[in-house]
Amino acid sequence: MRTQVAIIGSGPAGLLLSHLLHRQGIDSVVLESRDRDYVEHRQRAGVLEQGTTDVLRDSGAGERLDREGLVHHGVELRFGGAGHRIPLTDLTGRTVTVYAQTEVVKDLVAKRLADGGDVRFEAEVVALDASAPSVTFRSGGRTHTLDCDYIAGCDGFHGVSRPAVPGLRTYSREYPFAWLGILADVAPSTEELIYAGHDNGFALHSLRSPQVSRLYLQVSPDEDLAGWSDARIWDELATRFATDDGWKLHEGPITDRSVTPMRSFVAEPMRHDRLLLAGDAAHIVPPTGAKGLNLAVSDVILLAQAFAERYASGSETLLDGYSAACLRRVWRAEHFSYWMTHLLHADPAASDFDRRLQRSHLDYVVSSQAASTSLAENYVGLPVTF
Ligand code: RFL
Ligand code: PHB
């Protein structure tokens, strides 16, 4: 078995890469350890930067996104019993779109299969050789080898690609909190996302559609979900979102719940020989800035350009510059996500002094146009270039 680019993982990074390569006449095989249903229903991100929607639309994968995606022009920061709108579009000229990662993945899987793409589910990569290059995978109870020109490691944080890079330098930070996320069958209580800072901890009101709300609560990293009845979740959300003017949170049946740890992580470099890492395989951000999926997409935009040059002219110049180009953007997003996280979460180790500083920082961000613009330009996403 042989292909030009062997792609490990059918998350947003692997699927989009396969799709963009196909449009440039480059062959790939996507190997995914999980089944299709699991991959299409795993609840994760919900906010797409304009650069992410642009690449989906421009590559012919944006039809449903254009119909169902909700274009947003602002977000709210809520603290001290009052909301403060950050007018993203007025400040930057750009928008973000609320469209779930599950839907991006469904659209890309459908598009790959309609275009005759080779996406194999329940095909777990167990070994890879970055210099031969080849990948070995288990599928249908048998072991297979796929030879290739390059391997794209798009296999997420717990994948096999990153450990295959010798001499990797890693940088990480753990946070003393996690997010309890729920999906609920109830119309969102807000049109725009609300990021709330409260003494009890952070809360986020997001949405999936005009009928489905997505909400998060800051909890401790070892939180036991069993301790959170539906009533306790709604009470705590109502407390953290409460305003002095009596804003109301609508409750409804909870259809999905999970606890996500928060971490920051970067691995450098993102290339070793014929293996290139993209997305969560190389870096993780805490979800506060809504950057993870968007970073995976921007890596892949650059990687697809580099492969296009390689197959058109034989030159590896862009492939050689891939890691450095990604990492500049990755580190900016790492800082922004860390900054948003500290701005809004209640750190159990914070002193009274720290809490006063945090409040002053929040007041400044919502009252200074310069500070709001800085938040806004990072939130809507910075340019993707070599
Ligand atoms: P993925 O999506 O983890 O996909 C990797 C795939 O590789 C497979 N795999 C293997 N396949 C074959 N062989 C092996 N040995 C394999 N090992 C692993 C896995 O099964 C999987 O299918 O990585 P990718 O493509 O890099 O995409 C990254 C995004 O999924 C992630 O960054 C975002 O979900 C992060 N994130 C958010 N990002 C945003 O941009 N905006 C948001 O609003 C946002 N909110 C979030 C988030 C992540 C969250 N969680 C649960 C971590 C909210 C949450 C709660
Ligand atoms: C989501 O809708 O899941 C979401 C939105 C914004 C974030 C994180 C997650 O910052």
Side-chain angles (χ1 to χ4, degrees):
M1 227 185 299
R2 191 180 160 82
T3 190
Q4 290 176 302
V5 182
I7 299 175
I8 313 176
S10 76
L15 290 166
L16 180 63
L17 179 63
S18 179
H19 171 60
L20 295 178
L21 293 181
H22 167 71
R23 292 182 49 90
Q24 292 159 352
I26 302 166
D27 253 12
S28 67
V29 175
V30 180
L31 301 170
E32 166 60 51
S33 54
R34 304 287 194 151
D35 65 34
R36 179 174 174 182
D37 189 64
Y38 180 89
V39 166
E40 291 187 342
H41 293 94
R42 185 168 44 189
Q43 288 304 323
R44 286 190 167 180
V47 175
L48 308 184
E49 293 174 2
Q50 195 169 315
T52 299
T53 49
D54 286 349
V55 71
L56 292 168
R57 187 176 301 123
D58 295 348
S59 68
E63 200 186 303
R64 197 162 65 95
L65 166 70
D66 279 337
R67 255 193 344 263
E68 297 177 17
L70 303 167
V71 176
H72 281 202
H73 301 282
V75 293
E76 180 180 325
L77 298 190
R78 188 175 284 189
F79 55 92
H84 308 265
R85 181 169 188 263
I86 307 287
L88 298 173
T89 306
D90 291 349
L91 294 171
T92 66
R94 294 171 81 77
T95 60
V96 293
T97 300
V98 173
Y99 190 68
Q101 179 168 333
T102 48
E103 308 315 296
V104 173
V105 166
K106 282 180 205 162
D107 293 349
L108 287 169
V109 169
K111 186 85 184 127
R112 282 315 291 127
L113 298 179
D115 289 343
D118 193 345
V119 182
R120 301 191 193 190
F121 295 99
E122 298 177 81
E124 184 183 7
V125 173
V126 290
L128 54 98
D129 182 333
S131 56
S134 69
V135 300
T136 307
F137 64 99
R138 298 275 308 159
S139 168
R142 314 233 318 253
T143 301
H144 311 263
T145 300
L146 175 63
D147 295 315
C148 52
D149 301 332
Y150 295 94
I151 303 168
C154 304
D155 47 349
F157 187 65
H158 301 287
V160 290
S161 302
R162 193 177 62 252
V165 178
L168 201 68
R169 185 93 210 259
T170 63
Y171 305 83
S172 65
R173 185 183 181 92
E174 304 284 328
Y175 296 81
F177 27 77
W179 281 13
L180 191 175
I182 62 159
L183 265 185
D185 279 338
V186 58
S189 309
T190 175
E191 282 181 12
E192 294 182 337
L193 270 66
I194 304 171
Y195 289 82
H198 187 276
D199 288 346
N200 287 11
F202 169 76
L204 170 61
H205 194 323
S206 181
L207 55 148
R208 288 293 174 261
S209 72
Q211 298 81 32
V212 177
S213 299
R214 175 76 165 149
L215 296 127
Y216 296 95
L217 281 172
Q218 175 190 342
V219 294
S220 75
D222 52 5
E223 196 76 30
D224 182 4
L225 261 179
W228 285 88
S229 64
D230 290 14
R232 181 175 174 210
I233 291 174
W234 288 115
D235 282 353
E236 191 57 31
L237 285 166
T239 300
R240 296 188 194 181
F241 286 121
T243 60
D244 295 340
D245 60 6
W247 182 86
K248 273 267 167 300
L249 176 67
H250 308 309
E251 300 182 9
I254 296 176
T255 57
D256 187 278
R257 69 186 74 206
S258 60
V259 174
T260 306
M262 312 256 293
R263 78 166 67 80
S264 298
F265 175 88
V266 182
E268 297 185 355
M270 290 169 60
R271 175 177 183 184
H272 165 64
D273 209 345
R274 301 296 190 96
L275 167 65
L276 297 112
L277 304 179
D280 279 14
H283 40 74
I284 296 286
V285 286
T288 326
K291 290 290 143 216
L293 166 60
N294 293 297
L295 273 184
V297 167
S298 52
D299 287 354
V300 161
I301 291 172
L302 296 175
L303 189 51
Q305 282 175 26
F307 279 135
E309 182 200 57
R310 160 66 180 77
Y311 283 103
S313 70
S315 161
E316 283 209 353
T317 308
L318 289 185
L319 280 173
D320 288 339
Y322 168 73
S323 176
C326 289
L327 286 167
R328 273 194 295 278
R329 207 166 181 284
V330 166
W331 276 112
R332 176 88 297 281
E334 288 289 345
H335 176 260
F336 176 64
S337 305
Y338 158 97
W339 177 85
M340 275 280 275
T341 301
H342 282 282
L343 182 67
L344 289 157
H345 287 69
D347 184 337
S351 64
D352 288 346
F353 181 81
D354 297 330
R355 276 190 283 274
R356 281 284 205 270
L357 281 186
Q358 186 186 39
R359 177 57 189 266
S360 166
H361 195 174
L362 280 164
D363 285 333
Y364 177 60
V365 166
V366 301
S367 60
S368 150
Q369 172 146 332
S372 299
T373 305
S374 172
L375 186 156
E377 73 181 10
N378 281 279
Y379 194 83
V380 300
L382 292 158
V384 183
T385 49
F386 269 98

